[in-house]
Amino acid sequence: MTHENPPGIAGNLTTLDGDSVRNSASKMDLTQRIEGRLAYATDQRHLPGLLYGAILRSACAHALITRVDISQALGMPGVHAVIKADDVPGLNRFGIVIRDQPVFCDERVRYEGDAIAAVAADTPEQARAALNAIEVDYQPLPVVSDAALAEQQIALHNSHEKHGGSNLLARETLECGDIDDAFARCAVVAEHQYQTPRQMHAFMETEGGVAIPDGKGGVLFRVGCQSGHRDAEQLADILGIPHEQVTVEAMATGGAFGGKDELTVQPAAGLLALKTGRPVMIHLDRFESCRTGIKRHPVSVKMTTGCDAAGRLLAHKVEAILDTGAYASLGPAVLENYLDHATAPLYRIEAYRVSGRLVYTNNGVCGAFRGFGGNQATFAVESQLDALAHSLGVEPAALRRINLRSPGDAGSRNQTVRWTAPPADVLTAAVASPLWSRHDTDTGRWLTGTGMAMGAQGNGLGDGLPDSGGGRISLSPAGRICVEFGFSDYGQNIVESITRSVCNGVGCRETDVEVALGSSRGPDSGPTSASRSSVLVHSVLASILPRWIGAVRGHAARLSGHPEEGLEFGPGGMFFNGRQVLSYRELAESASPDEMAASASRDFPVAPDSGQPVGRYLQLQIATVARVAVDRLTGRVRVTDLHHVTAAGRVIYPPGYLGQIEGAAVMGQGMALTEDMTTRDGSYLADNLDQYLIPTFHDAPLQRVDVLDDTPEDDPFPVRGVGELGIEAVAPAITAAIEAATGVRVRRLPVDPGDLLVAMAAKEQTL
């Protein structure tokens, strides 16, 4: 439903309420999900000859391996294979950016959970028993656990010569203007330290899948993954076989959020499958997933930000340290995106120096995670703006309005950017939120308060990285309009978006469309990451649908004898003068597959500037208003309401849009209040979800999602990806609401109730 716009907003403001979502939801998809009929990667126990694999993990955070004895395990009941580093026929390394992580450690382990060996047996119990029989001798090494001190400690990767063999993996600095002169002219300066946690993905199905040998030296993988083509390339190198002999089928049910972007169980399962000649399934239990799974990068950052007496931002300095853990994974790309967001892309700042260091430690492995470093940076940036507003004695929204960029302005790195609505309109709608009118309490047990934060999120890989994707449309032999992309659908509702686009473009019904995703044998669409899938799907379909429609209509004209211009697509087939003359199946049977197919590939849209593109061209915005209640007795924080105002292009599938924003927001709530995989001497202090607390339905607040859409009809990029947008501003909105309720600003996440209680008591004593 559309509401009357708050004063000052020219665009269309729409609230995605429950009725509009229910009315537009795909009944087929909802039924499958509710009844649990969508397959998980490990729902394949029917395979003939299936064996169960298990992986032996390091018991030390950092040590030399002096002996691995598998002899006893080889002779145990039900055991068909035991493999270790010597059994890797190809490259014993993997990694998306740097191939620095061993499939099986040969000389050294770098975190508790590093893989040392693997077993295949008739039952999971036999495989686990065999793991216990493998003997490993370690020579302990000093543990690197403090990211701030990592560069001065023993190097975890001596082969990295870029920074002299130290634990510094990457260092970047982004600069603009004369920062020293700008600080000298500031009337107010805010300088604070911020800390964000090591967060766990906690997907429904933990890492798992099956490797199936084809009897000809090749392997088919059915696994949870986010890039079948990229995984197939790495797996071929590990298995030592040609790339065309590896097929990956992504099984998307269970969630990912970045945690399945990197290889997980695939190398061990594939090696065991080739060794035994039988299918091998590996499925990590929750304990193993907690211990070995990819985590969000914890960030420690010092920010210094200054403005003049009128509130105009003049200077901004950032010094950040990101802990990537034992291996690089996607750490260098996360650092780049963190720094991009740390430049405060929503706001004009005269001068900045934004620096970050990415270091190795023995604290597990960190990599891709929803938000990809952006939300960590936004937490600190938005908190800085609130601090400046407090010092100036002005409303935080007023300070933001003074400094917000306008459509047509260059981005924070002087690149062309493309907004879907003026940032000032997003702010205006957030200021008009009904949450501000709620009565705040400052007596009794519960203190309530409302706060707000803004965020920007770009689509695509950014910074000129190769970022293209292709798709294909054809008529299947059964007469279905088959659309293929290499993406996996991990909740972005790509299937529904593709189906809607094809139905709208062709004039057919949903049951006429078949969507095939996630196979490395299909088109290479790039990874399921960076909120890029929706943009590329729209771009590719816009290219191939008209060509495919023309080819099919021409063939139908030749086959039916009717003039081409009079033939129309419709439910089930082609129509002439309102009467069906051919079914889609008849069309498919009367032509070769190539005649009924069209393919295209598109580069992801980047800024049309000369030279190397920087930052993200397609920009989305969000303003989140949070309302919290703080328990005066315990310091516990309860988020009661979240109101999101979004500007992210045209809404193609309302249930998907709403689900992405709300789901991401609850994940951001967990980061703000409860989630942190803390470590001590390289060991995680939590090993299950009874110790690592993610928000439940009981914790989830009431949420409202508004869409501000000024997208013109002829806009070449009307559709954006919103998978990460909802998490962007949640944490700073919650901490702003806590400050409104208690007078205490929290700068270390997750909020510690005990620390908050102490700070509240100290605050009350000074009043």
Side-chain angles (χ1 to χ4, degrees):
M1 57 187 296
T2 301
H3 294 278
E4 183 177 343
N5 292 343
I9 295 182
N12 295 316
L13 187 67
T14 303
T15 298
L16 297 181
D17 59 18
D19 288 339
S20 66
V21 167
R22 280 189 291 271
N23 290 337
S24 61
S26 168
K27 301 303 185 289
M28 181 184 303
D29 175 70
L30 282 178
T31 301
Q32 286 182 316
R33 293 182 188 276
I34 292 170
E35 295 180 355
R37 290 193 284 113
L38 295 180
Y40 286 84
T42 51
D43 285 343
Q44 300 174 71
R45 299 175 187 270
H46 61 282
L47 294 170
L50 179 67
L51 299 175
Y52 294 87
I55 301 172
L56 179 67
R57 304 288 184 176
S58 168
C60 300
H62 194 201
L64 297 177
I65 298 175
T66 58
R67 183 177 72 99
V68 179
D69 186 348
I70 63 173
S71 58
Q72 185 177 346
L74 282 168
M76 294 188 68
V79 172
H80 292 261
V82 183
I83 57 176
K84 52 191 180 70
D86 296 343
D87 298 298
V88 180
L91 179 66
N92 186 23
R93 293 291 185 274
F94 65 93
I96 297 174
V97 177
I98 301 170
R99 295 194 180 184
D100 62 352
Q101 184 164 356
V103 175
F104 299 119
C105 296
D106 42 12
E107 298 176 348
R108 191 178 187 182
V109 294
R110 296 176 176 86
Y111 78 102
E112 277 193 7
D114 241 342
I116 297 174
V119 173
D122 289 327
T123 69
E125 294 76 17
Q126 290 171 329
R128 291 290 174 186
L131 290 188
N132 292 332
I134 298 174
E135 298 178 3
V136 183
D137 292 339
Y138 301 99
Q139 180 182 323
L141 294 170
V143 174
V144 180
S145 58
D146 189 336
L149 303 176
E151 293 172 61
Q152 289 76 50
Q153 296 181 296
I154 180 174
L156 304 187
H157 295 270
N158 294 324
S159 60
H160 288 292
E161 300 298 332
K162 182 178 179 181
H163 298 293
S166 78
N167 289 318
L168 180 63
L169 172 58
R171 175 174 52 210
E172 286 190 48
T173 298
L174 306 177
E175 294 186 272
C176 173
D178 186 336
I179 193 169
D180 294 328
D181 175 70
F183 269 122
R185 292 185 283 110
C186 288
V188 176
V189 174
E191 182 174 285
H192 295 287
Q193 190 83 22
Y194 299 91
Q195 180 73 43
T196 54
R198 181 182 284 102
Q199 194 176 9
M200 188 164 64
H201 297 85
F203 14 72
M204 286 190 297
E205 176 167 75
T206 53
E207 300 88 340
V210 63
I212 308 169
D214 63 6
K216 303 174 183 178
V219 185
L220 165 66
F221 293 86
R222 292 181 181 143
V223 292
C225 78
Q226 295 180 237
S227 178
H229 289 80
R230 186 173 61 199
D231 284 9
E233 180 181 343
Q234 291 201 72
L235 288 166
D237 291 344
I238 291 167
L239 300 177
I241 60 179
H243 290 190
E244 58 268 20
Q245 288 189 273
V246 176
T247 302
V248 176
E249 295 178 357
M251 310 290 286
T253 310
F257 316 113
K260 296 173 184 174
D261 218 352
E262 193 69 84
L263 294 179
T264 58
V265 303
Q266 298 95 314
L271 290 165
L272 288 168
L274 286 181
K275 182 88 169 179
T276 62
R278 292 169 62 174
V280 175
M281 177 183 293
I282 299 180
H283 188 191
L284 305 190
D285 62 23
R286 184 65 67 180
F287 295 100
E288 194 173 2
S289 180
C290 288
R291 186 179 176 198
T292 66
I294 296 287
K295 309 294 189 297
R296 184 187 295 284
H297 285 81
V299 182
S300 176
V301 61
K302 178 182 177 182
M303 278 195 182
T304 310
T305 313
C307 64
D308 63 18
R312 288 186 291 269
L313 296 173
L314 300 181
H316 183 54
K317 184 178 180 182
V318 177
E319 299 165 284
I321 300 174
L322 283 70
D323 180 355
T324 205
Y327 302 107
S329 187
L330 276 164
V334 173
L335 173 65
E336 180 274 322
N337 199 44
Y338 177 92
L339 297 180
D340 195 44
H341 282 73
T343 62
L346 272 173
Y347 307 103
R348 304 183 193 94
I349 302 178
E350 185 177 308
Y352 62 71
R353 183 184 299 133
V354 175
S355 300
R357 305 199 312 276
L358 181 75
V359 298
Y360 285 118
T361 69
N362 296 121
N363 299 322
V365 183
C366 296
F369 200 122
R370 195 177 205 164
F372 211 74
N375 52 317
Q376 293 104 302
T378 297
F379 167 64
V381 167
E382 290 292 296
S383 298
Q384 285 289 93
L385 293 182
D386 286 350
L388 288 174
H390 180 76
S391 296
L392 286 171
V394 301
E395 287 295 320
L399 181 75
R400 286 172 170 80
R401 193 177 299 280
I402 291 169
N403 295 287
L404 279 173
R405 296 181 187 275
S406 300
D409 287 357
S412 62
R413 297 169 66 185
N414 203 37
Q415 84 276 25
T416 300
V417 294
R418 198 177 183 99
W419 305 101
T420 61
D425 285 2
V426 176
L427 176 62
T428 297
V431 170
S433 170
L435 296 185
W436 296 106
S437 62
R438 302 277 184 87
H439 177 65
D440 287 342
T441 60
D442 56 5
T443 59
R445 177 170 176 176
W446 292 96
L447 304 176
T448 60
T450 305
M452 184 204 71
M454 299 186 71
Q457 180 66 250
N459 281 176
L461 301 180
D463 260 30
L465 294 173
D467 192 357
S468 62
R472 184 174 188 267
I473 185 169
S474 62
L475 266 182
S476 74
R480 303 285 297 281
I481 302 172
C482 182
V483 186
E484 299 173 79
F485 282 92
F487 304 117
S488 305
D489 190 338
Y490 274 108
Q492 320 94 289
N493 299 102
I494 291 294
V495 170
E496 289 80 7
S497 296
I498 292 172
T499 302
R500 292 275 172 110
S501 296
V502 171
C503 289
N504 292 338
V506 174
C508 61
R509 60 195 174 202
E510 285 189 11
T511 53
D512 293 325
V513 181
E514 175 184 331
V515 180
L517 302 178
S519 172
S520 64
R521 292 297 182 194
D524 187 353
S525 306
T528 307
S529 58
S531 300
R532 59 191 292 282
S533 305
S534 297
V535 178
L536 279 172
V537 162
H538 184 272
S539 177
V540 169
L541 287 180
S543 170
I544 60 178
L545 265 180
R547 289 192 285 115
W548 182 81
I549 288 171
V552 173
R553 182 179 278 128
H555 181 74
R558 292 189 294 273
L559 195 62
S560 67
H562 294 293
E564 186 174 336
E565 58 273 13
L567 287 168
E568 298 292 339
F569 287 80
M574 303 297 297
F575 289 73
F576 185 78
N577 288 338
R579 181 177 63 87
Q580 183 173 321
V581 294
L582 287 168
S583 70
Y584 292 131
R585 182 165 192 158
E586 289 171 325
L587 281 168
E589 290 173 343
S590 65
S592 68
D594 288 342
E595 286 182 90
M596 296 288 100
S599 300
S601 182
R602 287 287 180 269
D603 290 329
F604 195 91
V606 296
D609 303 326
S610 59
Q612 179 76 4
V614 297
R616 274 91 182 145
Y617 171 49
L618 302 183
Q619 286 286 332
L620 295 71
Q621 305 162 65
I622 191 168
T624 295
V625 182
R627 185 163 178 82
V628 304
V630 181
D631 189 344
R632 234 175 178 158
L633 298 182
T634 65
R636 297 285 177 186
V637 178
R638 181 162 52 90
V639 181
T640 61
D641 300 89
L642 290 174
H643 180 189
H644 313 281
V645 180
T646 66
R650 196 166 297 153
V651 178
I652 301 298
Y653 185 62
Y657 192 105
L658 181 66
Q660 288 293 304
I661 298 297
E662 290 186 339
V666 173
M667 191 171 280
Q669 176 185 336
M671 172 180 155
L673 297 181
T674 59
E675 297 185 46
D676 189 10
M677 285 292 284
T678 56
T679 62
R680 181 183 299 142
D681 297 327
S683 298
Y684 289 127
L685 301 185
D687 63 6
N688 202 352
L689 297 183
D690 59 347
Q691 300 158 317
Y692 180 88
L693 302 179
I694 62 173
T696 66
F697 277 116
H698 176 75
D699 304 304
L702 296 173
Q703 296 196 60
R704 169 175 161 177
V705 177
D706 288 346
V707 179
L708 184 61
D709 184 13
D710 278 351
T711 310
E713 285 300 319
D714 60 349
D715 192 300
F717 312 112
V719 178
R720 311 287 170 93
V722 297
E724 296 171 293
L725 184 63
I727 200 171
E728 187 72 21
V730 171
I734 289 174
T735 53
I738 292 171
E739 184 176 27
T742 67
V744 175
R745 187 69 184 212
V746 178
R747 295 186 172 87
R748 182 184 180 93
L749 301 180
V751 177
D752 184 278
D755 291 346
L756 179 57
L757 202 60
V758 170
M760 288 165 58
K763 190 78 175 178
E764 289 181 356
Q765 289 175 5
T766 62
L767 295 179

